[in-house]
């Protein structure tokens, strides 16, 4: 599953979106197998592209949600805000939801660690 797996005839990128959908799929298949035993009909995995976002520096990002809505492309500061909101809302644990804004704040105040050594 995830980055370690490829699906024959379905080349998918090694991204979190793909890994998450594969994980959800596997969870559903395992639950079905546990319920129905060997008679389980295993559905094919289908990846649903929900779009891409990327930070491009200077508090700006690009967002391409065209797989979800035809006109949903955006670039600039609003896209940056959208990107950050998505990042935060999709982080799983409460610990990460608290830690991530703290790291963002620290980076904003003190700069990135990697450039300050
Ligand atoms: C710097 C960086 C930036 C990225 N940015 C993005 C992004 O912006 N958007 C995006 O969609 N994707 C991004 N990715 C890709 C994304 O992180 C991966 O596609 C995703 O995390 C894959 O999930 P996974 O569950 O397959 O693997 P992982 O998230 O790598 O999880 C594997 C887990 O298994 C653990 N593990 C390994 N070996 C063992 C072992 N022997 N026993 C027990 N545990 C073990 C590891 O510690 C790890 O926690 C980025 C990746 C990197 C490296």
């Amino acid at each position: 599953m995830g980055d370690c797996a490829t699906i024959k005839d379905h080349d998918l990128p090694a991204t979190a979106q793909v890994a998450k959908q594969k994980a959800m799929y596997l969870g559903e298949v395992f639950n079905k197998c546990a319920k129905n035993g060997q008679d389980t009909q295993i559905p094919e995995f289908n990846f649903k592209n929900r779009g891409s976002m990327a930070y491009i520096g200077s508090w700006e990002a690009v967002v391409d949600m065209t797989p979800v809505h035809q006109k949903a492309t955006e670039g600039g500061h609003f896209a940056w805000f959208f990107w950050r909101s998505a990042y935060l809302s999709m982080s799983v644990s409460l610990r990460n939801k608290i830690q991530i804004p703290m790291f963002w704040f620290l980076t904003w105040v003190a700069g990135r660690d990697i450039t300050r050594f």
Side-chain angles (χ1 to χ4, degrees), residues 48-92:
K48 291 182 193 75
N49 187 357
R50 305 216 187 274
S52 316
M53 300 181 203
Y55 179 56
I56 55 170
S58 305
W59 309 84
E60 292 186 35
V62 283
V63 171
D64 174 12
M65 304 289 285
T66 42
V68 180
H69 190 283
Q70 217 177 354
K71 289 182 182 165
T73 54
E74 184 69 49
H77 298 300
F78 179 72
W80 171 84
F81 183 75
F82 188 65
W83 169 72
R84 283 244 154 141
S85 309
Y87 221 107
L88 197 57
S89 65
M90 286 177 199
S91 62
V92 180

Side-chain angles (χ1 to χ4, degrees), residues 92-107:
V92 180
S93 66
L94 180 66
R95 184 172 177 259
N96 279 346
K97 282 187 198 293
I98 294 167
Q99 262 185 347
I100 289 170
M102 282 166 63
F103 288 140
W104 283 339
F105 179 72
L106 278 177
T107 306

